[in-house]
Structures are given as C-alpha cells and as structure tokens.
Amino acid sequence: MKAYPDKNGRFGQFGGMYVPETLMPAIQELDQSYQKIKRDKAFQQELQRCLKNFVGRPTPLYFAERLTKTLGGAKIYLKREDLCHTGAHKINNTVAQALLTCRMKKKRVIAETGAGQHGVAVATVAAMFGLEAEIYMGTEDMERQALNVFRMRLLGSTVTGVNAGSRTLKDAINEAMRDWTTNVATTHYLLGSVLGPHPYPMMIRDFQSVIGREARKQILSVAGRLPHCLVACVGGGSNSMGLFYPFIKDTNVKMVGVEAGGHGIKSGKHAARFSGGKPGVLHGTMTYLLQDSDGQVNLTHSVSAGLDYPAVGPEHSFYHDMGRIHYTSVTDKEALAAFDVLSQEEGIIPALESAHAVAEVVRLAPTMKKNQILLMNLSGRGDKDVQQVANMRNIPL
Amino acid sequence: MHKVTVVNRIQQTFDNLKAKGEKALIPYIMAGDPSLAMTESLVLTLAEGGADLIELGVPFSDPIADGPVIQQAAERALQSGTTLKKILSTVRSLRIKTQVPLIFMAYYNTILAMGLMGFCKEAISAGVDGLIIPDLPPEESDELYKATMAAGGPVIIFLLAPTSTSQRRKEVIKRTHGFIYYVSLTGITGSQLTDLTQVKKNVQAIQKMAKKPVAVGFGISSPEQAHDVAQFADGVIIGSALVRNIFEHHQDPAFLSNLKVTTRKLKTALASKN
Ligand SMILES: Cc1ncc(COP(=O)(O)O)c(C=O)c1O
C-alpha cells in the first residue's frame, strides 16, 4: 500500500488545503517544520522524554476480565488512554505540537475544544512550556463541560466562549481559524484532532500513533498474536486513527469506528457522518460532512461534546470508502448505559466519548468466539462527565 | 462544434475604466439579506449610483474568512430562505435590467454541493461573470477551473494577502482572471485597516508583476479610505461597512435613494485627486 497522504495532502479524493490565502504560507511553513522535526533526533528524544515523564506513557493494556466474562464472548482488552496526564489521549498530540511551536519560535497557541479535554491538554502544555494560550469553546459546550472550563482557567489559559451557530465544536473551530488568520505571524493553531487542512491530519495521526504502536507491542507480548478487532470512538478521529494506523497493513485485523448516533440516525439529531453525510469541504479539508442539499452544514447532536461535530478526519473518509475501516454508530442512550457498565464491571468510569466505544464492545463481544481478541481504545476518563450525567438523571449533587 | 465566446464583462469594465483613467468601485452585499427581492433593488441602485462591479455574497453556515458583520448577514440570509439556486434566479432577472458585472463570493462547499459543472453552466447562463472563493487557494482549484472552462465561465478571481510569498504571488497572478483581489490586512473581513503604506507597497509590487488589475478589499469603510486606496489600486472593494449600513437602514423609506447618493459619493471619492 502507498503511503498517504500524497504530497498535496490528499488521501485519495479526501483531504487537501482549503484555506484562505492568508493562511496558506503558514500551513506550508508548518508542513516544512513538521518534516524537519520528524527526522530530528534531538526533537524526537525530547518528545519521548515528555511522553514518558509528563504524560505517563506507555499507558497500560488492560485485560477487562469481568466484562469479558459478563459478555461471554471475545477477550476484551482496553488501551488505557484515560490514564494519560489530564485524563485523555489528547495530550499525546498537544505535547508534540507545543514542542513544535517552540521550534517555530511562536509564543502563542490557540485551540478549539469541544469536550474540553483538548482545551485542558493545550492549557496544560502551554503552562509547561510557558506559552500563551487562548482556547475557543462553544457556549453550549461550556455549559455541559463547566469543570473543564475551570481547569483551563486554573492552568492559566484564556477561555473564549463562542456564541454562534450550534455553539459547539464546529463554531469554536470557525472562531479559532479567524483568530489564526488575524494573528498568524505570532500564533500556532494547535488543532486537536486529525482534521483541518494538510498537514494537520497527517501530523496529528503521527503524534497519536503512539497509541497503536504501544498497543501492538503489548498485545503481541501478552497474547502472542494480533487482535481480531479494534474498536474506538470517532469524533474528529484522532484517538481512533492513533490506535488503527499502526495496524492498517495487518489486513486480518478488523477495525470499527464508532460515531455518535445521538437520538438515532432517523431523528436527524446525531453526528454520524458516515450514515448521513456526503463528501464536502469544511474547515480546510474535503471529507464526509453532514450537510443539507444546499451545502449548508447541519447542526449535530450528541450527549458527548467530543463527538458532536459535523465532519470527520479525511483519512477516515478514505478508509471508509476503501472498506478498510467499518463505521457504526451508538445512540446517546446506548452510550449512557455503557457508561454504567464499564463503571460497575471494571471500576473504570469512561468519558462519554469512550462510552460509545464501550457500547459497541457490548454489542460485538458476545458475537465473537472466546479465543478472539477485541481491543478497545479507552480514550479518556469520565470524571469530566459525572456532573452532566447526574444532571440528566435528575440527581442533585 | 461551436464554441460560445463569452464577452467577459469584468475585463471589459476594467479596460473601459482604464481608458477613462478611472478606478473601479466594487461594493459587496450579502445576497438574501434581508431578502432576495431587496438584493435585486440593491444591485440596481448600486449600479445606478456608479458601482462598476458588484460582489454578491452567497451565504454559508461557516464563513471562516468573515468577521461578525458578514457572519450575521449570512445568518439572516439563510434564515430568509436564501439558496444558491434562488440567487441564480435573482441574477437571471437582474440581467434583463443591468449589465453591471456580477461576481459571486461563495465558500467552496456551497458550489460543490450543487456540482461544479452544473453550477458553472447555470451561473454562466444566468449571467454571473466571476467567482471569488475565499477557501479555495490555487492549489485546490483545478477541478473548478476545468468546470469553468467546459462551461465557458465564470472566471475565477484569486486572492493575495500580505502573507503571500513571492512564489505564491506568481502562482496567483498566473491563474487569476479579471483582476487580483488583494486582501489589505492579515485578518478577516470587517477588521480595521491601519497600515496603508504597506498596502500600497504590496499592491504596486503585484501590479508590476501582474499587468492585471488589482482591487483591494477588507477593512475599507469610508470615502476617505476609498480615496486613499484608489490612488494606487485599480479597484476598491467595500463590504462590511455597506452590509452594516443595509442592515441598519433598509427599512427607512428613503433608504434606496440615500444609498444611491452614498454610492455616488464613494465613486466621486475614487476619482478625485489629492
Ligand atoms: C476522551 C475523548 N475521546 C474522544 C474524543 C473525540 O476526538 P477524537 O475522535 O479526535 O479522538 C474526545 C474529544 O474531545 C475526547 O475528549
């Protein structure tokens, strides 16, 4: 298989660089800087040090024995990204991009955040590297993730509410891109998922691939073979691509990406791009997009802020059309049930995003044989969601 | 096979202006804000007031190159039920009444959703002359270019910015048709333009390389600014200031006649020497 993206940042028909002229030079500069640090030993060593001592890598691969027994099928392994510093996989990318920002001699970073996990991960590395950080967040997300707003501010970042459109992740990205267009000379846009114009989807995939590389080694060492199937939730698509990519050439390994089914596909209130979307251009990239027949971007819904986004990383669209990765969706209700299942079966409270992957495991494992291995990416922990879930259940805290 | 030769109204307009020693006044309005019926009246009024070319914004849900004024105009236009197809009908009906060059300013996804070929055919038959696609750099424009060639138009007008490298300048100059849209500032529409000396330097450098007209947009709001920019640029684009004016005053009974006067003032400001 050829290496993707090609030199134009394309994964087949997907990807590319659909940005205003003002940003084109910055994107090309970023691409060149990234190519440089990729081959730079000192940079890579420093990144390894940060991942080990600050992030806490490698994260464990955990055999979920009770859940396996309860479901009565495949052996379930969890890649514990919830144990990363700040509680999600997002920091794998932010540490690397913060280092890159320093290399590019920029002093300010901006970012978008949905669930607040990426925002917290940015605020954290900004504090660690002494960078100024401004985080854009939809006001609807600020409400449902109030705890993370406080964390970002505690870490010294500015959190700017975005009160446009659906007041969620999409609108936060719009505003971050406008800020970047205005302050491009001094500012690096620290994008949080495998989205946006080239080189972001490639670069963030590479930074998150540490998940899959570790998982591959770990499963080979404990089980002596590759898993039968990988499962991960897909918002923008970074934790899933991070897990899947190092297995992509292992054609016997199946891969399932789980999108947010919201109130169900038929309701129209969801964020399942591969069920309701078609190719289009948003935020600098050509990819599957939830849109109406006039090309206006649809409002999305998910109980999980981190999955509530109308587009998906272009590389996912590529593997979708190729049939290499299978995509499915899980409703709010199923995800909330899975949130309880993992908490009570394994003593791990998952992020609502990750609970979507858990729900798919709950569906899939019983259909598989006992000697088969199902490896799921537990992208984050659920502390940030506890308050929201209590509210939804009318439980006063 | 016979080829349709489209008389390019944009090029012709700039040629005529040059012959008269005039600069182009290019107002931008958001199609469908507050309604397409109003858009039709606005275009006619602007043309009568002396606008040389008119940009029609096609509303998009996620306009990343626009500041709050145009964002909100797009929201209003979408709320009033504006679609690309309806804007094309408006252009069709305008073409019975005016030959002023009309340029669409549209985000790529809106035309992509209609199909590039289908869009270009409809646009050219309706009477659209040019396309400005703020999120389509030359690198990504091959497919649209092919479609415009096959349909016989409209032409694609590319943008240059203060951040553009000399390599990028060359590329844009090679590909642009009609004129070059020079973005006066590093930022989004509706920002304040402060550093005119730098704009002048860049525009003159581009004019020297390009031998094509250069129109300047973003951040120009007053007749004074328009006058200053017209001393060196071939055209002046006025967007957010006009969009705000329309939003605030369109319900006044005298609005259209006032707009005609304002437009005339702007056109006069472009012509006057220091
Ligand atoms: C814990 C967690 N998982 C998953 C996601 C979804 O993002 P991605 O698909 O890029 O992994 C988020 C996003 O905020 C998150 O916080």
Side-chain angles (χ1 to χ4, degrees):
Chain A
M1 198 154 42
K2 268 203 310 188
Y4 287 95
D6 66 17
K7 65 179 182 357
N8 302 316
R10 293 244 162 214
F11 305 88
Q13 68 160 309
F14 301 107
M17 304 177 258
Y18 297 87
V19 298
E21 174 63 23
T22 306
L23 289 179
M24 281 301 290
I27 281 169
Q28 290 171 331
E29 181 204 334
L30 179 62
D31 191 25
Q32 283 158 10
S33 305
Y34 176 63
Q35 295 304 337
K36 228 185 266 166
I37 59 104
K38 216 172 145 177
R39 284 178 253 109
D40 182 332
K41 280 220 175 77
F43 182 96
Q44 293 301 332
Q45 276 167 2
E46 196 175 349
L47 177 57
Q48 289 318 311
R49 252 197 319 274
C50 290
L51 288 175
K52 179 163 182 261
N53 301 327
F54 191 67
V55 175
R57 302 206 73 89
T59 59
L61 184 71
Y62 168 73
F63 176 46
E65 199 170 346
R66 277 198 75 213
L67 184 63
T68 298
K69 270 210 191 99
T70 306
L71 296 175
K75 284 198 176 68
I76 298 158
Y77 284 86
L78 305 176
K79 180 61 175 162
R80 296 292 305 274
E81 292 303 297
D82 61 314
L83 294 177
C84 290
H85 179 39
T86 71
H89 69 291
K90 295 283 177 187
I91 197 154
N92 301 326
N93 166 47
T94 61
V95 160
Q97 280 198 54
L99 266 172
L100 181 56
T101 305
C102 297
R103 284 292 173 102
M104 293 190 296
K105 304 209 161 33
K106 293 192 172 178
K107 294 266 184 289
R108 178 175 180 260
V109 291
I110 52 168
E112 81 295 343
T113 196
Q117 285 307 103
H118 175 57
V120 167
V122 170
T124 299
V125 298
M128 205 257 271
F129 288 99
L131 300 164
E132 181 193 339
E134 181 162 359
I135 320 275
Y136 290 95
M137 190 168 187
T139 46
E140 155 118 14
D141 289 340
M142 286 177 78
E143 250 166 62
R144 49 182 171 174
Q145 303 286 345
L147 184 65
N148 273 343
V149 175
F150 181 68
R151 286 168 83 196
M152 287 182 266
R153 288 182 172 149
L154 192 66
L155 289 158
S157 286
T158 306
V159 180
T160 304
V162 180
N163 213 344
S166 55
R167 302 181 292 129
T168 59
L169 183 58
K170 157 181 97 83
D171 311 284
I173 297 182
N174 288 343
E175 211 48 42
M177 290 191 81
R178 292 181 187 118
D179 179 317
W180 198 29
T181 305
T182 308
N183 300 300
V184 61
T186 58
T187 299
H188 172 61
Y189 182 10
L190 210 166
L191 194 58
S193 192
V194 287
L195 297 167
H198 179 69
Y200 283 104
M202 165 185 77
M203 178 174 81
I204 295 167
R205 171 199 73 197
D206 293 352
F207 290 153
Q208 289 292 4
S209 288
V210 65
I211 302 171
R213 282 198 306 273
E214 284 177 9
R216 202 170 184 286
K217 233 185 260 168
Q218 288 165 323
I219 197 70
L220 284 173
S221 112
V222 299
R225 62 200 164 103
L226 291 174
H228 186 75
C229 184
L230 306 174
V231 175
C233 66
V234 185
S238 67
N239 86 85
S240 50
M241 196 53 74
L243 174 67
F244 296 168
Y245 192 67
F247 292 90
I248 212 91
K249 290 181 188 156
D250 301 314
T251 44
N252 290 330
V253 179
K254 287 191 186 148
M255 299 174 177
V256 181
V258 186
E259 298 184 282
H263 295 320
I265 304 301
K266 282 203 196 105
S267 74
K269 293 194 167 77
H270 62 84
R273 289 73 39 116
F274 293 120
S275 297
K278 60 172 189 167
V281 167
L282 181 69
H283 296 146
T285 193
M286 166 111 41
T287 190
Y288 274 80
L289 176 63
L290 289 167
Q291 55 183 318
D292 69 14
S293 57
D294 295 311
Q296 306 298 340
V297 178
N298 283 346
L299 297 186
T300 52
H301 165 81
S302 170
V303 67
S304 137
L307 305 183
D308 201 351
Y309 180 68
V312 63
E315 193 165 7
H316 282 283
S317 295
F318 178 62
Y319 290 130
H320 170 269
D321 281 11
M322 192 191 273
R324 178 65 188 95
I325 303 176
H326 175 71
Y327 294 85
T328 183
S329 66
V330 154
T331 62
D332 288 356
K333 226 168 132 186
E334 293 168 311
L336 284 163
F339 183 76
D340 289 2
V341 168
L342 198 69
S343 300
Q344 288 159 24
E345 293 287 327
E346 292 293 345
I348 301 170
I349 303 173
L352 281 177
E353 291 77 17
S354 321
H356 285 70
V358 176
E360 176 61 15
V361 165
V362 169
R363 279 200 299 229
L364 214 53
T367 70
M368 293 167 65
K369 297 195 194 95
K370 286 195 169 145
N371 63 354
Q372 291 183 316
I373 297 171
L374 191 51
L375 195 162
M376 188 202 102
N377 199 17
L378 186 60
S379 57
R381 67 177 185 230
D383 306 42
K384 69 182 173 66
D385 299 312
V386 170
Q387 187 146 25
Q388 184 194 349
V389 173
N391 280 346
M392 292 174 72
R393 292 177 183 167
N394 292 318
I395 300 165
L397 292 181
Chain B
M1 276 227 4
H2 89 123
K3 252 198 167 149
V4 189
T5 4
V6 183
V7 185
N8 190 331
R9 276 178 285 246
I10 300 173
Q11 174 119 34
Q12 209 156 64
T13 300
F14 274 104
D15 287 349
N16 293 346
L17 288 169
K18 196 170 178 189
K20 289 191 281 182
E22 284 182 23
K23 302 303 176 74
L25 174 63
I26 314 175
Y28 166 102
I29 59 174
M30 176 62 71
D33 173 34
S35 67
L36 281 170
M38 187 61 166
T39 299
E40 208 171 316
S41 310
L42 288 169
V43 167
L44 295 173
T45 305
L46 290 166
E48 284 163 22
D52 298 294
L53 306 91
I54 295 172
E55 270 184 46
L56 285 178
V58 175
F60 181 49
S61 52
D62 296 85
I64 54 162
D66 289 303
V69 171
I70 293 181
Q71 282 174 49
Q72 283 154 21
E75 271 175 36
R76 290 190 297 269
L78 289 174
Q79 252 153 34
S80 80
T82 309
T83 63
L84 183 53
K85 287 192 182 125
K86 289 184 191 166
I87 300 171
L88 286 166
S89 307
T90 301
V91 170
R92 234 175 253 285
S93 101
L94 271 168
R95 274 291 170 247
I96 302 165
K97 300 165 195 155
T98 178
Q99 290 306 307
V100 69
L102 293 172
I103 299 163
F104 275 7
M105 176 118 170
Y107 286 85
Y108 194 45
N109 201 54
T110 55
I111 64 173
L112 203 55
M114 191 165 160
L116 296 181
M117 194 58 206
F119 166 73
C120 289
K121 278 186 184 155
E122 289 245 358
I124 202 68
S125 89
V128 177
D129 302 289
L131 303 173
I132 300 170
I133 322 272
D135 58 348
L136 192 75
E139 282 86 343
E140 303 293 358
S141 68
D142 286 350
E143 283 185 34
L144 179 62
Y145 180 70
K146 274 183 221 147
T148 60
M149 289 311 281
V155 299
I156 312 174
I157 295 147
F158 287 100
L159 302 97
L160 279 171
T163 53
S164 304
T165 55
S166 65
Q167 184 53 41
R168 299 195 59 77
R169 280 185 184 174
K170 274 188 215 143
E171 194 58 30
V172 162
I173 287 167
K174 200 169 74 191
R175 293 195 188 223
T176 200
H177 284 86
F179 65 96
I180 293 153
Y181 189 133
Y182 183 72
V183 176
S184 68
L185 47 83
T186 306
I188 53 178
T189 57
S191 309
Q192 273 307 313
L193 177 56
T194 48
D195 187 6
L196 256 191
T197 359
Q198 195 57 38
V199 177
K200 181 176 178 179
K201 216 178 106 200
N202 286 336
V203 167
Q204 286 177 335
I206 295 165
Q207 281 165 330
K208 225 165 115 191
M209 279 170 79
K211 316 223 172 350
K212 287 178 184 171
V214 179
V216 176
F218 284 41
I220 303 168
S221 55
S222 65
E224 294 73 31
Q225 271 180 323
H227 165 83
D228 292 347
V229 173
Q231 298 310 301
F232 53 87
D234 304 293
V236 177
I237 299 154
I238 309 221
S240 295
L242 176 58
V243 170
R244 184 187 292 118
N245 183 20
I246 294 167
F247 173 60
E248 285 171 359
H249 301 293
H250 70 89
Q251 280 166 328
D252 299 355
F255 175 65
L256 286 176
S257 56
N258 290 344
L259 180 66
K260 200 194 289 191
V261 174
T262 318
T263 310
R264 191 138 279 143
K265 268 192 202 143
L266 278 166
K267 180 67 186 173
T268 316
L270 297 197
S272 69
K273 291 271 172 278
N274 273 323

